[in-house]
Each structure stands twice: as structure tokens, then as C-alpha cells.
Amino acid sequence: AVQLAESGGGAVQAGGSLRLSCAASEYIFMPWAWFRQTPGKEREWVGHIPNTGPITYADSVKGRFTISHDNAKNILYLQMDSLNVDDTAKYYCAARAVSGRYCSNFWKWWNYWGQGTQVTVSS
């Protein structure tokens, strides 16, 4: 099974930036996604990059976060700019072994997950 591993989390002040990475244990051609979760809340979709088609973002991060994928290294990135305290969460990358263009923003649709990396934004 594919294993995913996130890195790059940490503490930052509001207005700052962080870049998260997600490395796969093997080369995969699948849609990828970023989710985040705070204690007591359901995992929240941040955005995804499908097999084909445009990268899509949640309204709460649109214009501030950028998802990209390095095909040569098979690493997914999440560049987070203009961070605010509401972005504090544990961030997870996800993938799903599926063909086609469809992607869901519901976390249960995704079947490969990393262990998560904590992002804490202070005011």
C-alpha cells in the first residue's frame, strides 16, 4: 500500500508562511488532496489536485494557499501564505487509487493518508 508522509509544519505568526510537503513511498498517478483537522471537528477539505483538470481550493484558503506537485520527486506541496489563527490545525495529505477526473472534498472518499503535521498560527 502507498504510504504518505507529511513534513514542514510548525509554529508561525499571523501573516506568515509555511510550506508543507507530502512524500509518497512509491510513484503514484492518483489524485492528491490536503485536509486539515482541529480537535473535536471533522476533517476539513483544503484542496485537491486531480488526475486531470484544475486544482481546486476551499473558499477559506483560496488566494492564500497553493497546491503543487513535483512529478519528478513525487512530492505534493501546500504553500500557505497570509496565515491566520483560523488556519491552526493538523494538516493531512491524502490520495486515492482511482482514474478519471472526479475528486471529492469529503474526507471519507480518500483512502491513503499521511500521519499529519501540526500547523499553529499565533496572533
Side-chain angles (χ1 to χ4, degrees), residues 13-90:
Q13 288 193 322
S17 298
L18 278 175
R19 188 177 80 158
L20 306 184
S21 301
C22 173
S25 58
E26 59 190 76
Y27 182 81
I28 58 175
F29 182 69
M30 301 178 185
W32 299 70
W34 286 101
F35 285 79
R36 64 187 182 185
Q37 189 171 24
T38 53
K41 292 190 176 181
E42 193 163 88
R43 203 160 286 191
E44 176 191 16
W45 174 71
V46 173
H48 64 242
I49 179 168
N51 288 330
T52 58
I55 300 171
T56 309
Y57 299 92
D59 287 343
S60 58
V61 306
K62 199 174 296 182
R64 301 187 298 120
F65 289 12
T66 303
I67 294 173
S68 60
H69 181 246
D70 185 322
N71 287 324
K73 296 180 180 178
N74 204 31
I75 297 176
L76 180 74
Y77 297 102
L78 179 65
Q79 176 67 43
M80 304 185 294
D81 299 317
S82 302
L83 285 161
N84 59 60
V85 295
D86 291 333
D87 296 316
T88 295
K90 194 165 189 178

